[in-house]
Amino acid sequence: MAGSTFGQLFTVTNFGESHGPAIGCVIDGCPPGLALTEADIQGDLDRRRPGTSRHVTQRNEPDAVEILSGVYEGKTTGAPIALLIRNTDQRSKDYGNILQTFRPGHADYTYWHKYGIRDPRGGGRSSARLTAPMVAAGAVAKKWLREQFGTEVRGCMTQLGEVVIQHEGWDHVHQNPFFAANVSQIEALETYMDALRKEGNSIGARLYVEATGVPVGLGEPLFDKLDADIAFAMMGINAVKGVEIGAGFGCVTQKGSEHGDALTPEGFTSNHAGGVLGGISTGQDIRVSMAIKPTSSIRLPRPSIDLNGDPATVETFGRHDPCVGIRATPIAEAMLALVLIDHALRHRAQCGDVQVTTPDIARRG
Ligand SMILES: C=C(O[C@@H]1CC(C(=O)O)=C[C@@H](OP(=O)(O)O)[C@H]1O)C(=O)O
């Protein structure tokens, strides 16, 4: 399958460029009968959209979604659902000076060598703007999962550069532009970002995303393991460079007696597995962490080469996120929801009914 379609039974085909007339996606395989309006989707798009604080790109896009097909009298019909988001605030002249060069750390270089042609305006097809349609599709998946199984997907930023963010409570996530589960560190995060922006530089971040109320049995035994597909989905998000499931790299120093989550009649007593054993969901919370690289478009001049391979200096102007991780939480949530709906439909196709249990006493304790 070509590289713009995600999923096996609930497929999402992403289209568009950052400075084209519109971006969007076509969802195929959505179960019929799901009540769906634009309002079900818009909330998550608003959480991701640019221009909402001084710490993100100042490109001001409403990211208003239009449902073009697949819904009749407020319900999905089983037909493809086309979702459209019009681009309204392109400023393509910002990219004039980098047409002949490659930004270090950017897809400019690989796109040029692969295709021999690229749309450089706003990063074209490589733009993080193309995550918006995935957030829209993810909102549909979230709604179906919630109604079928009571599954909830949520995420937060856990580290911005060197600043580790302590988890104070999930309700804090909605009260700050960083998606931090913390309000007492917001001032420190703002000071950090203000200094970084002044310097013309960018920084990486770490995010956490989890799904609760996940049925047992989602995932395939050998290749399409649930955790493998989650890692694939997260690595498909622009700028993600590392993914951990459960204890992740922490398992290197764990002993078997510690890592293996004990089973009791009431449920598991811990969740180092991150909710997946043998590639199949345990019914515990799915726990995922990811590392997001610093934005490659920065104001600081850097050495590079031009299209002829001669030395060049690159400086990027325009409206870039000093930390793409700041707006990435809704994207990670959406990708996790898309993996879960796809595997829930696959499980149902092979095994019939999906078993909903929440044997995770670790999270209740
Ligand atoms: C527009 C969005 O982010 C954009 C992502 C992006 C990039 O190269 O990835 C470059 C910038 O585009 P522009 O130069 O056109 O402002 C960001 O603003 C968005 O996320 O919706």
Side-chain angles (χ1 to χ4, degrees):
M1 192 149 39
S4 291
T5 299
F6 181 85
Q8 302 277 325
L9 289 190
F10 186 98
T11 65
V12 182
T13 301
N14 180 303
F15 66 85
E17 284 83 26
S18 183
H19 288 203
I23 56 174
C25 66
V26 177
I27 301 170
D28 203 1
C30 182
L34 175 72
L36 190 69
T37 67
E38 274 96 355
D40 292 315
I41 301 172
Q42 196 59 50
D44 271 347
L45 283 170
D46 290 347
R47 293 168 69 222
R48 189 219 71 96
R49 81 177 182 83
T52 51
S53 83
R54 71 178 187 275
H55 307 296
V56 300
T57 170
Q58 295 305 295
R59 179 165 164 180
N60 190 10
E61 290 288 353
D63 281 358
V65 69
E66 297 167 48
I67 300 176
L68 301 186
S69 66
V71 176
Y72 178 66
E73 293 184 338
K75 292 209 162 138
T76 59
T77 61
I81 302 170
L83 302 176
L84 190 78
I85 300 165
R86 293 177 200 278
N87 292 322
T88 63
D89 188 25
Q90 305 95 316
R91 214 168 67 187
S92 302
K93 66 175 169 36
D94 288 346
Y95 290 85
N97 72 321
I98 52 166
L99 278 177
Q100 304 298 320
T101 55
F102 304 108
R103 284 166 284 183
H106 197 277
D108 288 342
Y109 182 81
T110 47
Y111 272 51
W112 175 254
H113 284 280
K114 181 174 172 71
Y115 300 108
I117 181 169
R118 69 190 166 104
D119 174 356
R121 304 163 307 157
R125 185 75 186 139
S126 70
S127 171
R129 180 148 181 73
L130 273 308
T131 57
M134 304 316 283
V135 169
V140 180
K142 277 182 181 175
K143 186 165 192 209
W144 187 83
L145 288 163
R146 186 179 302 123
E147 290 188 3
Q148 291 292 310
F149 318 119
T151 306
E152 294 290 343
V153 181
R154 59 188 178 182
C156 60
M157 178 185 272
T158 52
Q159 190 167 343
L160 175 73
E162 309 84 49
V163 187
V164 175
I165 303 169
Q166 305 304 328
H167 194 107
E168 288 179 351
W170 280 106
D171 48 329
H172 298 206
V173 173
H174 319 291
Q175 297 164 26
N176 66 84
F178 300 98
F179 294 87
N182 177 307
V183 283
S184 56
Q185 282 176 274
I186 299 310
E187 216 178 299
L189 295 175
E190 297 203 302
T191 309
Y192 186 93
M193 288 307 300
D194 287 341
L196 187 78
R197 203 170 53 247
K198 221 182 228 170
E199 188 189 318
N201 219 335
S202 62
I203 193 71
R206 187 179 171 107
L207 304 189
Y208 171 73
V209 59
E210 68 175 25
T212 62
V214 176
V216 182
L218 308 190
E220 304 293 331
L222 281 194
F223 303 118
D224 294 1
K225 290 174 189 282
L226 188 65
D227 41 1
D229 277 358
I230 291 170
F232 174 74
M234 297 306 161
M235 291 296 284
I237 300 173
N238 307 52
V240 170
K241 282 298 192 188
V243 181
E244 293 184 303
I245 311 285
F249 280 87
C251 73
V252 172
T253 56
Q254 287 179 329
K255 297 207 165 121
S257 52
E258 181 191 357
H259 180 83
D261 302 308
L263 286 149
T264 73
E266 289 76 40
F268 293 93
T269 59
S270 57
N271 189 2
H272 300 299
V276 186
L277 289 173
I280 296 173
S281 62
T282 60
Q284 293 180 277
D285 297 348
I286 305 284
R287 297 184 170 174
V288 188
S289 276
M290 71 211 70
I292 303 199
K293 74 175 185 178
T295 318
S296 49
S297 301
I298 57 174
R299 247 183 24 243
L300 292 175
R302 286 169 297 166
S304 185
I305 55 170
D306 63 19
L307 298 188
N308 302 317
D310 294 324
T313 299
V314 179
E315 275 174 276
T316 316
F317 304 102
R319 307 164 293 180
H320 297 285
D321 292 89
C323 173
V324 270
I326 291 180
R327 289 191 296 131
T329 294
I331 309 167
E333 291 173 4
M335 294 310 290
L336 183 54
L338 289 173
V339 173
L340 293 176
I341 192 172
D342 198 42
H343 274 284
L345 294 177
R346 290 168 73 176
H347 180 72
R348 205 168 67 170
Q350 186 187 17
C351 303
D353 275 349
V354 172
Q355 188 194 345
V356 186
T357 71
T358 46
D360 197 350
I361 61 173
R363 74 183 295 264
R364 297 198 293 269

